[in-house]
Amino acid sequence: MSVRHTLFAVTLLPLFAVLVSPAASQTLRYANQGELKSLDPYTLNESTTHAHLGQIYEGLTTRDKDLKIIPALAESWETPEPTRWRFHLRHNVKFQNGDPFTADDVLFSADRVRANGSNLLSRLDPDVKVVKVDDYTVDFVLTKPNPILTAQWDTWYIMDRKWCEENNAVAPTPAAATTPSYASLHANGTGAFSVESHQPGIKTVFKANPNWWRKPEHNLKEIIFTPIANESTRVAALLSGEVDLIEPVPLQDIARVNASPNAQVLTGPEIRTIYLGMDQARDELLYSNIKGKNPFKDIRVREAFYKSIDVDAIKTRVMRGMSTPSALMIAPELYPLSKDFVRPKADPDAAKKLLADAGYPGGFEVTMDCPNDRYVNDAAICQAVVGMLARIGVKVNLLAQPKALYFGKVLKPGGFQTSFYLLGWTPASMDSHNVLHDIMGCRDDAKDPTRGEANLGGYCNKDLDALTDKILVESDTAKRDQLIKQAFEIGIKDYGYIPLHQQPLSWGVSKKVKIWQRADNEVLFYWATKTEE
């Protein structure tokens, strides 16, 4: 089964995925465990944020219901030569304030997404030249071929140059910003919905865009988004009809929701991989009782951490049997040779010996950064990890925070301020190259600020980077898969990361609502309908 067909099978879920003819316009109330801090589309490279802003903004390309790349603000494209991509822009498209969409907005967005403060640097290499051919034609001139260019752009949203310039929003808003910018509090896209009001952390109201260039498949007049961090409160709001859709449903509450008369749970495997990372770059950890050196620079310590983590126990006790333990940093649906990799069983005794051999017979202390409102049971996973590491003598001081604080601290704009952390990753390109480049690639801002942009711990292997560069330009699928295999083998031998699992999709949906559930877990309301109250 091809990747494309595999993804389609994953997302072809029961009756809720069947779209109906739009009826009378409706208000849809949505609750997520995390807040929407910034409306600036370049602040945070995170799927839930991309989904929120994907109601408002659009890119040159987008993905359809089975995750296939299709035209959006670009009607078509071609490669007149291997290192030149030509994009033909859609005519008669307007931003929500009435400004026309033209090539100038693409050039502006290309500069802005690569500027300091952007968390989406890897969407477009710094050496790519963006050339305006005319008002509706743009060339991207590369220094080397890139056959997956359009696959990397799904969530690179195009902004209105004139609007940004008029509102002092030319520079992107960093995730670590302590004061909001105009673009973080207001939005002006070309998408299906506009923002009527935005109160960060409290409520955001989206209104249907009557001038959207696409034919709407939804029948919504407005979306009211309210973050509800407390799991019990979120489920109660769904069951009472106070909200129409929640994400995620706590795994322990799935049966209760499905037994209710007015709501059901959409479930399925997600292509996001949850993993642990360690600071391997600093000479001394920021948050540890070990001074003058960094334990994680020693491969024996990294291997000890890896062997102490029992992913099967996490699946059974924390994820209620609904996760898919992983040997790789990518979901099996996205890499056909993933079946060739088998994760070894946890071995605490071997882990203790490795620590002792590395000079830490009594273990050591380290702080673990973890979000508590981003992934399915994220804080509970981190608590389980704390207990597993305690068995080998490592004392973990857990710092679990809301995602706005967590991301502001650990991501590149915040200075990678972490020693040990949990993160989840869905490759934007749906391809292994993204994982090898963005997460596992060496950080080197002077040479390439996009490589390793999400490599919070600074893992680095130049041989892996060399393979990654070959993978990008290799067009033969069989050869490319073998190169990917070699690269992942290097990462595994280095114990550069500790993959845990792919988490499950878990959306609670009112029986009045029908919505398509994609395997990337983006809740997109332009595919939603709601029956009359």
Side-chain angles (χ1 to χ4, degrees):
M1 183 178 284
S2 71
V3 172
R4 178 177 182 271
H5 288 151
T6 299
L7 292 174
F8 185 79
V10 166
T11 55
L12 190 59
L13 295 169
L15 297 175
F16 295 93
V18 180
L19 291 170
V20 298
S21 299
S25 295
Q26 297 291 318
T27 294
L28 188 145
R29 295 171 175 84
Y30 165 53
N32 184 276
Q33 64 179 343
E35 66 180 28
L36 174 60
K37 181 180 179 183
S38 174
L39 297 179
D40 189 325
Y42 304 162
T43 292
L44 188 59
N45 186 19
E46 183 245 352
S47 296
T48 300
T49 299
H50 292 322
H52 281 301
L53 301 183
Q55 325 295 344
I56 313 160
Y57 288 100
E58 297 172 301
L60 297 180
T61 65
T62 189
R63 292 188 183 274
D64 65 10
K65 294 168 185 171
D66 69 347
L67 293 170
K68 177 185 174 184
I69 289 290
I70 59 172
L73 293 179
E75 289 183 317
S76 62
W77 51 85
E78 70 260 1
T79 50
E81 54 192 85
T83 57
R84 181 183 296 268
W85 287 69
R86 174 160 291 177
F87 288 81
H88 302 282
L89 307 183
R90 199 171 295 279
H91 291 244
N92 301 317
V93 174
K94 292 185 182 297
F95 289 94
Q96 288 147 3
N97 70 345
D99 289 344
F101 160 68
T102 69
D104 291 335
D105 302 305
V106 177
L107 269 64
F108 168 78
S109 298
D111 288 339
R112 192 178 191 273
V113 80
R114 295 182 286 186
N116 289 336
S118 169
N119 191 220
L120 278 73
L121 293 175
S122 61
R123 293 299 188 271
L124 195 62
D125 284 347
D127 55 5
V128 173
K129 294 181 180 179
V130 189
V131 180
K132 175 181 175 180
V133 178
D134 59 44
D135 280 347
Y136 293 96
T137 311
V138 177
D139 281 359
F140 289 79
V141 184
L142 319 181
T143 57
K144 57 184 179 293
N146 180 359
I148 62 169
L149 183 74
T150 54
Q152 298 172 319
W153 283 0
D154 171 36
T155 51
W156 171 35
Y157 298 136
I158 302 300
M159 299 186 72
D160 179 354
R161 185 190 74 171
K162 181 172 177 286
W163 179 82
C164 288
E165 290 175 346
E166 290 175 348
N167 293 292
N168 194 29
V170 170
T173 311
T178 55
T179 55
S181 68
Y182 188 87
S184 71
L185 296 176
H186 305 83
N188 181 40
T190 59
F193 298 89
S194 61
V195 172
E196 181 180 72
S197 62
H198 175 58
Q199 299 169 274
I202 301 173
K203 183 171 74 171
T204 304
V205 178
F206 303 84
K207 290 286 188 180
N209 177 9
N211 300 313
W212 192 31
W213 59 271
R214 286 171 60 177
K215 181 179 179 181
E217 295 182 53
H218 70 86
N219 72 337
L220 307 178
K221 65 181 179 182
E222 67 178 357
I223 305 160
I224 300 175
F225 166 65
T226 307
I228 303 178
N230 183 275
E231 294 181 344
S232 299
T233 305
R234 196 164 64 247
V235 171
L238 174 68
L239 296 181
S240 69
E242 193 176 332
V243 298
D244 303 300
L245 192 152
I246 64 171
E247 193 277 317
V249 175
L251 302 184
Q252 65 270 19
D253 289 319
I254 289 177
R256 182 160 70 100
V257 173
N258 281 333
S260 73
N262 60 345
Q264 291 192 29
V265 182
L266 293 180
T267 59
E270 187 181 353
I271 53 176
R272 180 186 316 281
T273 300
I274 305 297
Y275 63 91
L276 304 176
M278 301 152 280
D279 178 2
Q280 299 157 57
R282 292 180 174 89
D283 292 330
E284 179 180 302
L285 294 177
L286 292 177
Y287 311 107
S288 172
N289 68 333
I290 303 297
K291 302 304 176 185
K293 60 180 178 177
N294 178 349
F296 291 131
K297 283 182 177 286
D298 191 322
I299 190 173
R300 293 170 295 185
V301 173
R302 301 196 300 271
E303 184 179 355
F305 270 55
Y306 188 106
K307 289 186 173 178
S308 71
I309 306 302
D310 188 339
V311 293
D312 293 319
I314 291 174
K315 174 180 179 177
T316 302
R317 300 171 190 170
V318 181
M319 304 302 289
R320 297 183 175 247
M322 295 185 67
S323 61
T324 304
S326 181
L328 289 181
M329 294 286 286
I330 194 166
E333 293 90 345
L334 301 180
Y335 180 49
L337 299 188
S338 61
K339 62 184 181 298
D340 295 347
F341 294 84
V342 178
R343 185 191 180 96
K345 295 288 185 181
D347 190 343
D349 291 335
K352 286 181 183 178
K353 184 177 185 306
L354 284 162
L355 274 186
D357 292 346
Y360 305 99
F364 58 91
E365 289 186 29
V366 65
T367 295
M368 181 182 189
D369 289 290
C370 183
N372 60 14
D373 62 355
R374 175 59 192 96
Y375 310 114
V376 177
N377 286 358
D378 43 16
I381 295 169
C382 292
Q383 288 283 3
V385 168
V386 170
M388 291 170 184
L389 287 169
R391 292 185 301 179
I392 67 168
V394 175
K395 181 182 178 182
V396 177
N397 301 307
L398 180 59
L399 177 59
Q401 302 184 90
K403 68 177 184 180
L405 295 173
Y406 167 79
F407 286 126
K409 177 176 185 282
V410 305
L411 292 180
K412 185 174 184 176
F416 301 121
Q417 295 182 66
T418 184
S419 298
F420 180 45
Y421 62 91
L422 176 138
L423 194 67
W425 191 260
T426 300
S429 62
M430 305 296 159
D431 184 86
S432 295
H433 175 270
N434 175 270
V435 175
L436 296 168
H437 183 273
D438 286 26
I439 300 177
M440 303 178 73
C442 296
R443 296 193 322 228
D444 186 353
D445 280 353
K447 186 176 179 181
D448 180 358
T450 71
R451 193 190 299 270
E453 185 183 7
N455 181 352
L456 311 189
Y459 164 71
C460 181
N461 188 307
K462 294 294 185 180
D463 291 336
L464 186 148
D465 282 357
L467 283 167
T468 302
D469 291 342
K470 292 180 181 179
I471 288 162
L472 179 65
V473 300
E474 180 57 65
S475 58
D476 184 295
T477 301
K479 291 180 180 178
R480 191 173 190 271
D481 284 345
Q482 288 299 325
L483 292 171
I484 292 169
K485 184 175 183 179
Q486 292 175 40
F488 279 134
E489 286 172 344
I490 289 172
I492 289 170
K493 289 177 182 177
D494 287 342
Y495 293 95
Y497 288 92
I498 306 173
L500 299 179
H501 58 244
Q502 282 80 47
Q503 68 179 22
L505 295 167
S506 178
W507 301 2
V509 184
S510 164
K511 291 183 179 179
K512 297 177 181 178
V513 173
K514 301 189 188 304
I515 188 168
W516 189 274
Q517 185 181 56
R518 276 196 336 199
D520 62 354
N521 202 29
E522 290 198 11
V523 183
L524 298 170
F525 291 111
Y526 47 74
W527 289 325
T529 58
K530 182 181 175 183
T531 57
E532 295 184 6
E533 301 288 349

